[in-house]
Coordinates of all heavy atoms in Angstrom, one line a residue:
M159 N 0.8 -1.2 0.0 CA 0.0 0.0 0.0 C 0.9 1.2 0.0 O 1.9 1.3 0.8 CB -0.9 0.0 1.2 CG -1.7 1.2 1.5 SD -3.2 0.8 2.4 CE -4.3 1.9 1.5
P160 N 0.6 2.2 -0.8 CA 1.4 3.4 -0.9 C 1.3 4.2 0.4 O 0.3 4.2 1.1 CB 0.8 4.2 -2.1 CG -0.5 3.6 -2.4 CD -0.5 2.3 -1.8
S161 N 2.4 4.9 0.7 CA 2.4 5.7 1.9 C 1.8 7.1 1.5 O 1.9 7.5 0.4 CB 3.7 5.9 2.5 OG 4.6 6.5 1.6
A162 N 1.3 7.9 2.5 CA 0.8 9.2 2.2 C 1.2 10.1 3.4 O 1.4 9.7 4.5 CB -0.7 9.2 2.1
A163 N 1.4 11.4 3.1 CA 1.7 12.4 4.1 C 0.8 13.6 3.9 O 0.4 14.0 2.8 CB 3.1 12.8 3.9
L164 N 0.4 14.2 5.0 CA -0.4 15.4 5.0 C 0.5 16.6 5.0 O 1.4 16.8 5.8 CB -1.3 15.5 6.2 CG -2.2 16.7 6.3 CD1 -3.2 16.6 5.2 CD2 -3.0 16.7 7.7
T165 N 0.5 17.3 3.9 CA 1.3 18.5 3.7 C 0.5 19.7 3.4 O -0.2 19.7 2.3 CB 2.3 18.3 2.6 OG1 3.0 17.1 2.8 CG2 3.3 19.5 2.4
G166 N 0.4 20.7 4.2 CA -0.3 21.9 3.9 C -1.8 21.6 3.7 O -2.5 22.3 2.9
G167 N -2.4 20.6 4.4 CA -3.8 20.3 4.2 C -4.1 19.4 3.1 O -5.2 19.1 2.8
Y168 N -3.0 19.0 2.3 CA -3.2 18.1 1.2 C -2.5 16.8 1.4 O -1.4 16.8 2.0 CB -2.7 18.7 -0.1 CG -3.5 19.9 -0.5 CD1 -3.0 21.2 -0.1 CD2 -4.6 19.8 -1.2 CE1 -3.7 22.3 -0.5 CE2 -5.3 21.0 -1.6 CZ -4.9 22.2 -1.2 OH -5.5 23.3 -1.6
F169 N -3.0 15.7 1.0 CA -2.4 14.4 1.1 C -1.5 14.2 -0.2 O -2.0 14.5 -1.3 CB -3.3 13.2 1.2 CG -3.8 13.0 2.6 CD1 -5.0 13.5 3.0 CD2 -3.0 12.3 3.5 CE1 -5.4 13.3 4.3 CE2 -3.4 12.1 4.8 CZ -4.6 12.6 5.2
I170 N -0.3 13.8 0.0 CA 0.6 13.5 -1.1 C 0.9 12.0 -1.1 O 1.5 11.5 -0.1 CB 1.9 14.3 -1.0 CG1 1.6 15.8 -1.1 CG2 2.9 13.9 -2.1 CD1 2.8 16.7 -0.9
R171 N 0.6 11.3 -2.1 CA 0.8 9.9 -2.2 C 2.2 9.6 -2.8 O 2.5 10.1 -3.9 CB -0.3 9.2 -3.1 CG -1.6 9.2 -2.4 CD -2.7 8.5 -3.3 NE -2.2 7.5 -4.1 CZ -2.9 6.9 -5.0 NH1 -4.1 7.3 -5.2 NH2 -2.4 5.9 -5.8
S172 N 2.9 8.8 -2.1 CA 4.3 8.5 -2.6 C 4.3 7.7 -3.9 O 5.3 7.7 -4.6 CB 5.1 7.8 -1.5 OG 4.5 6.6 -1.2
D173 N 3.3 7.0 -4.2 CA 3.3 6.1 -5.4 C 3.1 6.9 -6.7 O 3.2 6.4 -7.8 CB 2.3 5.0 -5.3 CG 0.9 5.5 -5.2 OD1 0.7 6.6 -4.6 OD2 0.0 4.8 -5.7
V174 N 2.6 8.2 -6.6 CA 2.4 9.0 -7.8 C 3.4 10.1 -8.0 O 3.4 10.8 -8.9 CB 1.0 9.6 -7.8 CG1 -0.1 8.5 -7.9 CG2 0.8 10.5 -6.6
M175 N 4.4 10.2 -7.1 CA 5.4 11.3 -7.2 C 6.6 10.7 -8.0 O 7.0 9.6 -7.8 CB 5.9 11.7 -5.8 CG 4.8 12.4 -5.0 SD 5.3 12.9 -3.4 CE 6.5 14.1 -3.8
A176 N 7.1 11.4 -8.9 CA 8.2 11.0 -9.7 C 9.3 12.0 -9.6 O 9.1 13.2 -9.4 CB 7.8 10.9 -11.2
T177 N 10.5 11.5 -9.6 CA 11.7 12.4 -9.6 C 11.9 13.0 -11.0 O 12.0 12.3 -12.0 CB 13.0 11.7 -9.2 OG1 12.8 11.1 -7.9 CG2 14.2 12.6 -9.2
I178 N 11.7 14.3 -11.1 CA 11.8 14.9 -12.4 C 13.3 15.1 -12.8 O 13.7 14.7 -14.0 CB 11.1 16.3 -12.4 CG1 9.7 16.1 -12.1 CG2 11.4 17.0 -13.8 CD1 8.9 17.4 -12.0
Y179 N 14.1 15.5 -11.9 CA 15.5 15.7 -12.2 C 16.4 15.0 -11.2 O 16.6 15.5 -10.1 CB 15.9 17.2 -12.2 CG 15.0 18.0 -13.1 CD1 14.0 18.9 -12.7 CD2 15.2 17.9 -14.5 CE1 13.2 19.6 -13.6 CE2 14.4 18.6 -15.4 CZ 13.4 19.4 -14.9 OH 12.6 20.1 -15.8
P180 N 16.8 13.8 -11.5 CA 17.6 13.1 -10.6 C 18.9 13.7 -10.2 O 19.5 14.3 -11.1 CB 17.8 11.7 -11.2 CG 17.6 11.9 -12.7 CD 16.7 13.1 -12.8
A181 N 19.3 13.8 -9.0 CA 20.5 14.4 -8.6 C 21.7 13.6 -8.8 O 21.6 12.4 -9.0 CB 20.4 14.8 -7.1
Q182 N 22.9 14.2 -8.9 CA 24.1 13.6 -9.0 C 25.1 14.1 -8.0 O 25.2 15.3 -7.9 CB 24.7 13.7 -10.4 CG 26.0 12.9 -10.6 CD 26.5 12.9 -12.0 OE1 25.7 13.0 -12.9 NE2 27.8 12.8 -12.3
A183 N 25.6 13.3 -7.2 CA 26.5 13.8 -6.1 C 27.7 14.4 -6.6 O 28.2 14.1 -7.6 CB 26.8 12.6 -5.2
N184 N 28.3 15.3 -5.7 CA 29.6 15.9 -5.9 C 29.7 16.9 -7.1 O 30.7 17.2 -7.7 CB 30.7 14.9 -6.1 CG 30.8 14.0 -4.8 OD1 30.7 14.5 -3.7 ND2 31.0 12.8 -5.0
S185 N 28.5 17.5 -7.5 CA 28.5 18.5 -8.5 C 29.5 18.3 -9.6 O 30.6 18.9 -9.6 CB 28.7 19.9 -7.9 OG 27.7 20.1 -6.9
P186 N 29.2 17.6 -10.6 CA 30.1 17.3 -11.7 C 30.4 18.6 -12.5 O 29.6 19.5 -12.5 CB 29.3 16.4 -12.6 CG 27.9 16.5 -12.3 CD 27.9 16.9 -10.9
Q187 N 31.6 18.7 -12.9 CA 32.0 20.0 -13.6 C 32.6 19.7 -15.0 O 33.3 18.6 -15.2 CB 33.1 20.7 -12.8 CG 32.5 21.2 -11.5 CD 33.6 22.0 -10.7 OE1 34.7 22.2 -11.1 NE2 33.2 22.5 -9.6
T188 N 32.4 20.6 -15.9 CA 33.0 20.5 -17.3 C 33.1 22.0 -17.7 O 32.8 22.9 -16.9 CB 32.2 19.6 -18.2 OG1 32.9 19.5 -19.4 CG2 30.8 20.1 -18.5
S189 N 33.4 22.2 -18.9 CA 33.6 23.6 -19.4 C 32.9 23.7 -20.8 O 32.8 22.7 -21.5 CB 35.0 24.1 -19.4 OG 35.8 23.2 -20.2
L190 N 32.5 24.9 -21.1 CA 32.0 25.2 -22.5 C 33.1 25.1 -23.5 O 34.2 25.6 -23.2 CB 31.3 26.5 -22.5 CG 30.1 26.7 -21.6 CD1 29.7 28.2 -21.6 CD2 28.9 25.9 -22.2
S191 N 32.9 24.5 -24.6 CA 34.0 24.5 -25.6 C 33.6 25.3 -26.9 O 34.3 25.2 -27.9 CB 34.4 23.0 -26.0 OG 33.3 22.4 -26.5
A192 N 32.5 26.0 -26.8 CA 32.1 26.8 -27.9 C 31.3 28.0 -27.4 O 30.8 28.0 -26.2 CB 31.2 26.0 -28.9
A193 N 31.3 29.1 -28.1 CA 30.6 30.3 -27.7 C 29.1 30.1 -27.5 O 28.5 29.2 -28.1 CB 30.8 31.4 -28.8
V194 N 28.5 30.8 -26.5 CA 27.1 30.7 -26.2 C 26.5 32.1 -26.5 O 27.1 33.1 -26.1 CB 26.9 30.3 -24.7 CG1 25.5 30.3 -24.4 CG2 27.6 29.0 -24.5
T195 N 25.3 32.1 -27.1 CA 24.6 33.3 -27.3 C 23.3 33.3 -26.5 O 22.9 32.3 -25.9 CB 24.2 33.5 -28.8 OG1 23.3 32.5 -29.1 CG2 25.4 33.5 -29.7
A196 N 22.6 34.4 -26.4 CA 21.4 34.5 -25.6 C 20.3 33.6 -26.2 O 19.5 33.1 -25.4 CB 20.9 35.9 -25.6
S197 N 20.4 33.3 -27.5 CA 19.4 32.4 -28.0 C 19.8 30.9 -28.3 O 19.1 30.2 -28.9 CB 18.9 33.0 -29.4 OG 20.0 33.1 -30.3
S198 N 21.0 30.6 -27.7 CA 21.5 29.2 -27.9 C 20.6 28.2 -27.4 O 20.1 28.3 -26.2 CB 22.9 29.1 -27.2 OG 23.9 29.8 -27.9
N199 N 20.3 27.2 -28.2 CA 19.5 26.0 -27.6 C 20.3 24.7 -27.6 O 19.8 23.7 -27.4 CB 18.2 25.9 -28.4 CG 18.4 25.6 -29.9 OD1 19.5 25.4 -30.3 ND2 17.3 25.6 -30.6
T200 N 21.6 24.8 -28.0 CA 22.6 23.8 -27.8 C 23.8 24.3 -27.1 O 24.1 25.5 -27.3 CB 22.9 23.1 -29.1 OG1 23.6 24.1 -29.9 CG2 21.8 22.5 -29.8
L201 N 24.5 23.5 -26.3 CA 25.7 23.9 -25.7 C 26.7 22.8 -25.9 O 26.5 21.7 -25.7 CB 25.6 24.1 -24.2 CG 24.6 25.2 -23.7 CD1 24.5 25.2 -22.2 CD2 25.1 26.5 -24.2
T202 N 27.9 23.2 -26.5 CA 29.0 22.2 -26.7 C 29.9 22.3 -25.5 O 30.4 23.4 -25.1 CB 29.7 22.5 -28.0 OG1 28.7 22.5 -29.1 CG2 30.8 21.4 -28.3
L203 N 30.2 21.1 -24.9 CA 31.0 21.1 -23.7 C 32.3 20.3 -23.9 O 32.4 19.6 -24.9 CB 30.2 20.3 -22.6 CG 28.8 20.9 -22.2 CD1 28.2 20.0 -21.2 CD2 28.9 22.3 -21.8
A204 N 33.2 20.5 -23.1 CA 34.5 19.7 -23.1 C 34.2 18.3 -22.9 O 34.8 17.4 -23.5 CB 35.5 20.2 -22.1
D205 N 33.3 17.9 -21.9 CA 33.0 16.5 -21.6 C 31.6 16.4 -21.0 O 31.4 16.6 -19.8 CB 34.0 16.0 -20.6 CG 33.7 14.5 -20.3 OD1 32.9 13.9 -20.9 OD2 34.5 14.0 -19.4
A206 N 30.6 16.2 -21.9 CA 29.2 16.1 -21.4 C 28.9 14.8 -20.7 O 27.9 14.7 -20.0 CB 28.2 16.3 -22.6
S207 N 29.8 13.8 -20.8 CA 29.5 12.6 -20.1 C 29.5 12.7 -18.6 O 28.9 11.8 -17.9 CB 30.6 11.5 -20.5 OG 31.9 11.8 -20.0
V208 N 30.0 13.7 -18.0 CA 30.0 13.9 -16.6 C 28.7 14.3 -16.0 O 28.4 14.2 -14.8 CB 31.1 14.8 -16.1 CG1 32.5 14.3 -16.5 CG2 30.9 16.2 -16.5
L209 N 27.8 14.8 -16.9 CA 26.5 15.3 -16.5 C 25.5 14.2 -16.5 O 25.6 13.3 -17.2 CB 26.1 16.5 -17.4 CG 26.9 17.7 -17.4 CD1 26.4 18.7 -18.4 CD2 27.1 18.3 -16.0
P210 N 24.5 14.3 -15.6 CA 23.4 13.3 -15.5 C 22.6 13.2 -16.8 O 22.6 14.1 -17.6 CB 22.5 13.8 -14.4 CG 23.3 14.8 -13.6 CD 24.3 15.4 -14.6
A211 N 22.0 12.1 -17.0 CA 21.2 11.8 -18.2 C 20.0 12.9 -18.3 O 19.5 13.3 -17.2 CB 20.6 10.4 -18.2
P212 N 19.6 13.3 -19.5 CA 18.5 14.2 -19.6 C 17.2 13.5 -19.4 O 17.1 12.3 -19.5 CB 18.7 14.6 -21.1 CG 19.5 13.6 -21.8 CD 20.3 12.9 -20.7
P213 N 16.1 14.3 -19.2 CA 16.2 15.7 -19.0 C 16.8 16.0 -17.6 O 16.6 15.3 -16.7 CB 14.7 16.1 -19.1 CG 14.0 14.9 -18.6 CD 14.8 13.7 -19.1
N214 N 17.4 17.2 -17.5 CA 18.0 17.5 -16.2 C 18.4 19.0 -16.3 O 18.2 19.7 -17.3 CB 19.3 16.7 -15.9 CG 19.4 16.3 -14.5 OD1 19.3 17.2 -13.6 ND2 19.5 15.1 -14.2
L215 N 19.0 19.5 -15.2 CA 19.4 20.9 -15.0 C 20.9 20.9 -14.8 O 21.5 20.0 -14.3 CB 18.7 21.5 -13.7 CG 17.2 21.4 -13.6 CD1 16.8 22.0 -12.3 CD2 16.6 22.1 -14.8
A216 N 21.5 22.1 -15.2 CA 22.9 22.3 -15.0 C 23.1 23.9 -14.8 O 22.2 24.6 -15.2 CB 23.7 21.9 -16.2
V217 N 24.1 24.2 -14.1 CA 24.4 25.6 -13.9 C 25.6 26.0 -14.8 O 26.6 25.3 -14.7 CB 24.7 25.9 -12.4 CG1 25.2 27.3 -12.2 CG2 23.5 25.6 -11.6
I218 N 25.5 27.1 -15.5 CA 26.6 27.6 -16.3 C 27.0 28.9 -15.7 O 26.2 29.7 -15.2 CB 26.4 27.7 -17.8 CG1 25.2 28.6 -18.1 CG2 26.1 26.3 -18.4 CD1 25.0 28.8 -19.6
G219 N 28.3 29.2 -15.7 CA 28.8 30.4 -15.1 C 29.3 30.2 -13.7 O 29.2 29.1 -13.1
V220 N 29.7 31.2 -13.1 CA 30.2 31.2 -11.7 C 29.8 32.5 -10.9 O 29.5 33.5 -11.5 CB 31.7 31.0 -11.5 CG1 32.2 29.7 -12.1 CG2 32.4 32.2 -12.3
N221 N 29.7 32.3 -9.6 CA 29.4 33.4 -8.7 C 28.1 34.2 -9.2 O 27.1 33.6 -9.4 CB 30.6 34.3 -8.5 CG 31.8 33.5 -8.0 OD1 31.6 32.6 -7.2 ND2 33.0 33.9 -8.4
D222 N 28.3 35.5 -9.4 CA 27.2 36.3 -9.7 C 26.9 36.3 -11.2 O 25.9 36.9 -11.7 CB 27.5 37.8 -9.4 CG 27.5 38.0 -7.9 OD1 26.9 37.2 -7.1 OD2 28.0 39.0 -7.4
E223 N 27.7 35.6 -12.0 CA 27.5 35.5 -13.4 C 27.1 34.1 -13.8 O 27.8 33.4 -14.6 CB 28.8 35.9 -14.2 CG 29.2 37.3 -13.9 CD 28.3 38.3 -14.5 OE1 27.7 38.1 -15.6 OE2 28.1 39.3 -13.9
C224 N 26.0 33.6 -13.3 CA 25.6 32.2 -13.5 C 24.1 32.1 -13.8 O 23.3 33.1 -13.5 CB 26.0 31.3 -12.4 SG 25.1 31.6 -10.9
E225 N 23.7 31.0 -14.4 CA 22.3 30.7 -14.7 C 22.0 29.2 -14.7 O 23.0 28.5 -15.0 CB 21.8 31.3 -16.0 CG 22.4 30.7 -17.2 CD 22.0 31.3 -18.5 OE1 20.9 31.0 -19.0 OE2 22.8 32.1 -19.0
T226 N 20.8 28.9 -14.3 CA 20.5 27.4 -14.4 C 19.8 27.2 -15.8 O 19.0 28.0 -16.3 CB 19.4 27.1 -13.3 OG1 20.0 27.4 -12.1 CG2 19.0 25.6 -13.4
I227 N 20.3 26.1 -16.4 CA 19.7 25.7 -17.7 C 19.0 24.4 -17.6 O 19.4 23.6 -16.7 CB 20.8 25.7 -18.9 CG1 21.9 24.6 -18.5 CG2 21.5 27.0 -19.1 CD1 22.4 23.9 -19.7
R228 N 18.1 24.1 -18.5 CA 17.5 22.8 -18.6 C 17.9 22.2 -19.9 O 17.9 23.0 -20.9 CB 16.0 23.0 -18.5 CG 15.3 21.6 -18.6 CD 13.7 21.8 -18.5 NE 13.0 20.5 -18.5 CZ 12.6 20.0 -19.6 NH1 12.6 20.6 -20.8 NH2 12.0 18.8 -19.5
Y229 N 18.3 20.9 -19.9 CA 18.6 20.3 -21.2 C 17.7 19.0 -21.3 O 17.4 18.4 -20.4 CB 20.1 20.0 -21.3 CG 20.7 19.2 -20.3 CD1 20.9 17.8 -20.5 CD2 21.1 19.7 -19.1 CE1 21.4 17.0 -19.5 CE2 21.7 19.0 -18.1 CZ 21.9 17.6 -18.3 OH 22.5 16.8 -17.4
T230 N 17.3 18.8 -22.5 CA 16.5 17.6 -22.8 C 17.1 16.5 -23.5 O 16.6 15.4 -23.6 CB 15.2 18.0 -23.6 OG1 15.6 18.6 -24.8 CG2 14.3 19.0 -22.8
G231 N 18.4 16.7 -24.0 CA 19.1 15.7 -24.7 C 20.6 15.9 -24.6 O 21.1 17.0 -24.3
K232 N 21.3 14.8 -24.9 CA 22.8 14.8 -25.0 C 23.2 14.1 -26.2 O 22.7 12.9 -26.4 CB 23.5 14.2 -23.8 CG 23.5 15.1 -22.6 CD 24.6 14.6 -21.5 CE 24.5 13.2 -21.1 NZ 25.4 12.9 -20.0
T233 N 24.0 14.7 -27.1 CA 24.6 14.0 -28.2 C 26.1 14.2 -28.2 O 26.5 15.3 -28.4 CB 24.0 14.5 -29.6 OG1 22.5 14.3 -29.5 CG2 24.5 13.7 -30.7
G234 N 26.8 13.2 -27.9 CA 28.3 13.3 -27.7 C 28.5 14.4 -26.6 O 28.0 14.2 -25.5
D235 N 29.2 15.4 -26.9 CA 29.5 16.4 -25.9 C 28.6 17.7 -26.1 O 29.0 18.8 -25.6 CB 31.0 16.9 -26.0 CG 31.9 15.8 -25.5 OD1 31.5 15.1 -24.5 OD2 33.0 15.6 -26.0
T236 N 27.5 17.5 -26.7 CA 26.6 18.6 -26.9 C 25.3 18.4 -26.2 O 24.7 17.3 -26.3 CB 26.3 18.8 -28.4 OG1 27.5 19.0 -29.1 CG2 25.3 20.0 -28.7
L237 N 24.9 19.4 -25.4 CA 23.6 19.4 -24.7 C 22.6 20.0 -25.7 O 22.8 21.0 -26.3 CB 23.6 20.2 -23.5 CG 24.5 19.8 -22.4 CD1 24.4 20.7 -21.1 CD2 24.4 18.4 -21.9
T238 N 21.5 19.3 -25.9 CA 20.4 19.8 -26.8 C 19.1 20.1 -26.1 O 19.0 19.7 -24.9 CB 20.1 18.7 -27.9 OG1 19.7 17.5 -27.2 CG2 21.4 18.4 -28.7
G239 N 18.2 20.8 -26.7 CA 17.0 21.2 -26.1 C 17.2 22.1 -24.9 O 16.5 22.0 -23.9
V240 N 18.2 23.0 -25.0 CA 18.6 23.8 -23.9 C 17.6 25.0 -23.7 O 17.3 25.7 -24.7 CB 20.0 24.3 -24.1 CG1 20.4 25.4 -23.0 CG2 21.0 23.2 -24.0
T241 N 17.2 25.2 -22.5 CA 16.4 26.4 -22.1 C 17.3 27.1 -21.2 O 17.6 26.7 -20.1 CB 15.1 26.0 -21.4 OG1 14.3 25.1 -22.3 CG2 14.3 27.2 -21.1
R242 N 17.7 28.3 -21.6 CA 18.5 29.2 -20.8 C 17.7 29.9 -19.8 O 16.6 30.3 -20.0 CB 19.3 30.1 -21.7 CG 20.3 29.3 -22.6 CD 21.4 30.1 -23.2 NE 22.2 30.7 -22.1 CZ 22.9 31.8 -22.3 NH1 22.9 32.4 -23.5 NH2 23.5 32.4 -21.3
G243 N 18.4 30.3 -18.6 CA 17.7 31.1 -17.6 C 16.5 30.4 -17.1 O 15.5 31.0 -16.7
F244 N 16.5 29.0 -16.9 CA 15.4 28.2 -16.5 C 14.8 28.7 -15.2 O 13.7 28.7 -15.0 CB 15.9 26.7 -16.5 CG 14.8 25.8 -16.1 CD1 13.8 25.5 -17.1 CD2 14.7 25.2 -14.9 CE1 12.7 24.6 -16.8 CE2 13.7 24.3 -14.6 CZ 12.7 24.0 -15.5
E245 N 15.7 29.1 -14.3 CA 15.3 29.6 -13.0 C 15.7 31.0 -12.8 O 16.0 31.4 -11.7 CB 15.8 28.7 -11.8 CG 15.2 27.3 -11.9 CD 15.8 26.4 -10.8 OE1 16.9 26.6 -10.3 OE2 15.1 25.5 -10.3
G246 N 15.8 31.8 -13.9 CA 16.3 33.1 -13.8 C 17.8 33.2 -13.9 O 18.4 32.2 -14.2
T247 N 18.3 34.4 -13.9 CA 19.8 34.6 -14.0 C 20.3 35.3 -12.8 O 19.5 36.0 -12.1 CB 20.2 35.3 -15.3 OG1 19.5 36.6 -15.3 CG2 19.8 34.5 -16.5
A248 N 21.5 35.2 -12.5 CA 22.1 36.0 -11.3 C 22.5 37.3 -11.8 O 22.7 37.7 -12.9 CB 23.3 35.2 -10.8

């Protein structure tokens, strides 16, 4: 029988919840190997194999110059289906 929890007045059944973006421990790192524009929907990386399988999220940039992207595919070292500024930009 599925478990349920009362959260904010609503029951949440554990059997219907899915992990949308599985986490990967130790924050894998790679670098961009091609220029990125504001409208880029692909990103070419030095080594995309270190990132979790798509669909997933990644952060590009550092400190105050970063943004979260969402990617829906990986082909070799290229992330495809990229949505930039997925959670805003810094």
Side-chain angles (χ1 to χ4, degrees):
M159 173 154 218
S161 63
L164 181 62
T165 304
Y168 296 94
F169 278 99
I170 299 174
R171 290 179 32 189
S172 64
D173 64 327
V174 294
M175 295 179 63
T177 301
I178 297 174
Y179 304 109
Q182 182 169 332
N184 300 320
S185 298
Q187 295 183 359
T188 186
S189 58
L190 296 168
S191 64
V194 177
T195 67
S197 61
S198 291
N199 60 7
T200 62
L201 297 178
T202 304
L203 307 176
D205 183 6
S207 71
V208 300
L209 297 179
N214 219 308
L215 304 176
V217 175
I218 60 173
V220 294
N221 301 326
D222 292 339
E223 300 292 324
C224 66
E225 67 181 280
T226 301
I227 62 148
R228 179 178 185 265
Y229 57 96
T230 60
K232 281 197 304 185
T233 302
D235 286 327
T236 301
L237 300 181
T238 60
V240 172
T241 303
R242 298 202 51 209
F244 184 73
E245 293 179 332
T247 58

